[in-house]
């Protein structure tokens, strides 16, 4: 169940897109930018407000890989495992971050909702491999040690 504040936020996003059904992808992008994922309640709400079926809204949300139906942490770390990054040893970086954050192949987000760790096929920065991003900021030439240092920096940001 959405709070009145959440409904107001969603109505603001919908209004910015003039409640147009054709803007459903852009609306979902804005909602995900605000909340870091698309909740079931948010999808149901926009379906009603756009006069679309929930099935249609869900089909859009599940079709595009960039949409998440699960909550994500404050910091979304994406590790590239494309060919260039894989050859340059992205797997030990992934393993190091998983170890430090207590994550696994099945568990992607820390219990405190601060970190989400994902692997992606390509980040488009092959010349900088191995690469990871934190909230879409590129960190090139990564190593397990640099990844540990990055986690320390992010934790320091949180403490401020």
């Amino acid at each position: 169940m959405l709070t009145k504040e959440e409904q107001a936020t969603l109505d603001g996003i919908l209004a910015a897109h003039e409640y147009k059904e054709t803007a459903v992808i852009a609306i979902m992008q804005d909602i995900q930018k605000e909340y870091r994922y698309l909740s079931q309640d948010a999808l149901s709400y926009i379906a009603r407000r756009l006069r679309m079926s929930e099935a249609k809204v869900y089909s859009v949300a599940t079709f595009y890989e960039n949409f998440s139906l699960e909550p994500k942490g404050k910091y979304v770390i994406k590790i590239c495992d494309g060919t260039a990054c894989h050859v340059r040893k992205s797997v030990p970086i992934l393993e190091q971050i998983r170890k430090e954050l207590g994550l696994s192949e099945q568990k992607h987000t820390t219990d405190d909702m601060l970190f989400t760790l994902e692997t992606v096929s390509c980040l488009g920065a092959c010349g900088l491999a191995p690469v990871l991003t934190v909230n879409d900021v590129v960190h090139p030439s990564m190593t397990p040690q640099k990844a540990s240092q990055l986690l320390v920096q992010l934790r320091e940001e949180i403490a401020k």
Side-chain angles (χ1 to χ4, degrees), residues 13-21 23 27 50:
I13 291 169
L14 289 161
H17 295 279
E18 300 173 354
Y19 292 86
K20 290 183 178 176
E21 180 181 337
I27 290 166
L50 294 175

Side-chain angles (χ1 to χ4, degrees), residues 79-150:
I79 298 181
C80 181
D81 196 35
T83 302
C85 288
H86 186 82
V87 167
R88 292 188 180 130
K89 310 250 188 277
S90 62
V91 173
I93 298 163
L94 173 66
E95 291 169 349
Q96 179 69 28
I97 294 174
R98 279 183 177 157
K99 179 181 165 191
E100 288 194 33
L101 296 178
L103 300 174
S104 67
E105 283 187 46
Q106 295 77 32
K107 183 179 179 184
H108 303 281
T109 300
T110 57
D111 293 336
D112 58 10
M113 296 300 295
L114 290 177
F115 297 97
T116 295
L117 180 63
E118 301 175 341
T119 57
V120 295
S121 297
C122 186
L123 289 169
C126 301
L128 305 173
V131 171
L132 68 76
T133 62
V134 178
N135 296 348
D136 299 321
V137 174
V138 176
H139 295 271
S141 305
M142 192 54 54
T143 66
Q145 296 75 23
K146 286 182 181 179
S148 292
Q149 293 168 350
L150 181 58

